[in-house]
């Protein structure tokens, strides 16, 4: 069977379970939800599997979920009871987890496959919007707590051949993640997103060099007091080719800018 090469993407996973709520909270994230619902129109085919790097899972050794039916981790707080009953019964894909681990080992990295760890909301919330039928197998990947941009770019590069095997690589985060300043984040987020567009427009080496300096970019530190929600972008960029990354979506949450980028 011939497999279509998949892109790598960096996507916003929204604000907790907001996509599955009602009222003002849902309407605030409606633009983001609409974008995620249309992802299938951007893809060249239905993926064989999804490898999703989540901002909400940090381990000192790169780790992949290896279970055939991972449980869900409701790692959000203070939301209505029904949001803790959300289900996403997509299958795991142990073979893809094993393959990803082999690729990192071949590149010289220690690695673990955790057969028992579940999927946090950085995994199941956006995927439930994107693939509501839950019919595409999923493997989640952790980030390293050093939050080192170069390390994560290199991890993505080591995993890039998965795209030729029909695996969609997703970095799941938020391009603006200053929760204390979300309602006033417009100016900083606008500046930082303009910088990201430029930083991601080069080849892979140029992107890595620029992303090393994200914190001194205009609006960078204001957009990410701690950068765990930006780090999945580094993995997606590393998994891309030398073709320039491009913004595939620009949206707003109130006055604050968000974005999504694709790497062919």
């Amino acid at each position: 069977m011939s497999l279509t090469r998949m892109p790598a993407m960096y996507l916003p996973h929204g604000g907790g379970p907001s996509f599955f709520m009602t009222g003002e909270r849902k309407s605030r994230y409606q633009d983001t939800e609409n974008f995620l619902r249309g992802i299938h129109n951007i893809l060249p085919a239905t993926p064989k599997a999804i490898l999703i790097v989540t901002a909400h899972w940090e381990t000192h050794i790169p780790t992949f979920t290896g279970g055939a039916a991972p449980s869900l981790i409701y790692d959000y707080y203070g939301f209505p009871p029904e949001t803790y009953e959300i289900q996403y019964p997509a299958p795991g894909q142990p073979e893809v987890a094993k393959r990803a681990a082999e690729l990192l080992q071949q590149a010289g990295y220690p690695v673990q496959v955790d057969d028992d760890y579940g999927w946090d909301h950085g995994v199941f919330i956006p995927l439930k919007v994107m693939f509501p039928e839950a019919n595409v197998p999923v493997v989640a990947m952790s980030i390293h707590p050093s939050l080192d941009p170069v390390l994560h770019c290199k991890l993505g590069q080591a995993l890039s051949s998965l795209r030729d095997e029909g695996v969609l690589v997703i970095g799941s985060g938020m391009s603006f993640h200053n929760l204390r300043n979300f309602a006033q984040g417009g100016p900083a987020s606008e500046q930082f997103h303009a910088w990201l567009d430029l930083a991601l427009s080069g080849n892979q080496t140029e992107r890595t060099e620029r992303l090393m300096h994200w914190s001194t970019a205009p609006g960078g530190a204001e957009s990410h007091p701690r950068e765990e929600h930006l780090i999945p972008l580094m993995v997606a960029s590393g998994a891309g080719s030398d073709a320039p990354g491009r913004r595939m979506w620009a949206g707003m949450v109130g006055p604050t800018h968000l974005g999504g980028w694709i790497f062919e």
Side-chain angles (χ1 to χ4, degrees):
M1 180 179 66
S2 64
L3 294 171
T4 301
R5 188 182 205 203
M6 287 289 138
M9 297 177 168
Y10 174 63
L11 305 175
H13 60 232
S18 299
F19 303 137
F20 303 100
M21 295 173 64
T22 58
E24 190 274 335
R25 181 83 191 197
K26 179 177 175 62
S27 64
R28 192 187 314 168
Y29 284 93
Q30 191 63 55
D31 195 17
T32 310
E33 180 182 343
N34 293 343
F35 161 61
L36 293 176
R37 287 199 187 282
I39 285 291
H40 65 276
N41 295 318
I42 298 171
L43 296 174
T46 300
K48 168 191 169 185
I50 296 167
L51 176 64
I52 182 165
V53 184
T54 170
H56 290 276
W57 185 22
E58 298 182 25
T59 62
H60 286 279
I61 295 175
T63 305
F64 302 95
T65 56
S71 59
L72 302 188
I73 302 170
Y74 300 98
D75 57 334
Y76 40 77
Y77 306 97
F79 288 92
E82 62 270 19
T83 64
Y84 300 92
E85 299 174 3
I86 293 171
Q87 298 297 313
Y88 191 66
Q93 182 51 279
E95 288 304 311
V96 170
K98 180 181 176 182
R99 174 70 176 138
E102 289 172 349
L103 290 171
L104 290 193
Q105 287 175 328
Q106 290 168 9
Y109 297 101
V111 66
Q112 291 180 342
V113 175
D114 191 327
D115 293 341
D116 298 319
Y117 198 77
W119 295 336
D120 59 60
H121 81 271
V123 178
F124 71 85
I125 289 292
L127 292 183
K128 187 174 178 66
V129 177
M130 295 163 62
F131 298 96
E133 300 86 358
N135 58 354
V136 179
V138 177
V139 173
M141 177 182 172
S142 66
I143 59 174
H144 192 275
S146 68
L147 307 180
D148 180 353
V150 175
L151 169 63
H152 289 88
C153 286
K154 289 182 176 178
L155 292 174
Q157 189 172 7
L159 295 168
S160 61
S161 64
L162 288 174
R163 301 196 298 120
D164 295 310
E165 301 170 20
V167 178
L168 173 63
V169 177
I170 295 175
S172 172
M174 293 281 276
S175 52
F176 180 93
H177 197 256
N178 186 338
L179 298 184
R180 292 184 177 182
N181 199 35
F182 224 106
Q184 293 85 34
S189 65
E190 184 174 19
Q191 291 177 331
F192 188 52
H193 282 71
W195 181 86
L196 282 173
D197 283 339
L198 179 61
L200 298 174
S201 66
N203 62 35
Q204 190 179 99
T205 300
E206 292 167 337
R207 295 196 301 266
T208 300
E209 171 65 28
R210 293 166 182 167
L211 288 171
M212 288 172 58
H213 305 291
W214 73 268
S215 63
T216 58
E222 296 90 339
S223 296
H224 292 277
R226 188 176 188 270
E227 63 269 32
E228 79 285 343
H229 276 69
L230 186 64
I231 289 298
L233 168 63
M234 318 304 181
V235 183
S237 175
S241 69
D242 272 345
R246 59 181 176 85
R247 186 149 17 150
M248 56 179 171
W249 175 72
M252 305 286 288
V253 176
T256 300
H257 294 254
L258 291 178
W261 287 264
I262 187 168
F263 305 91
E264 303 292 354

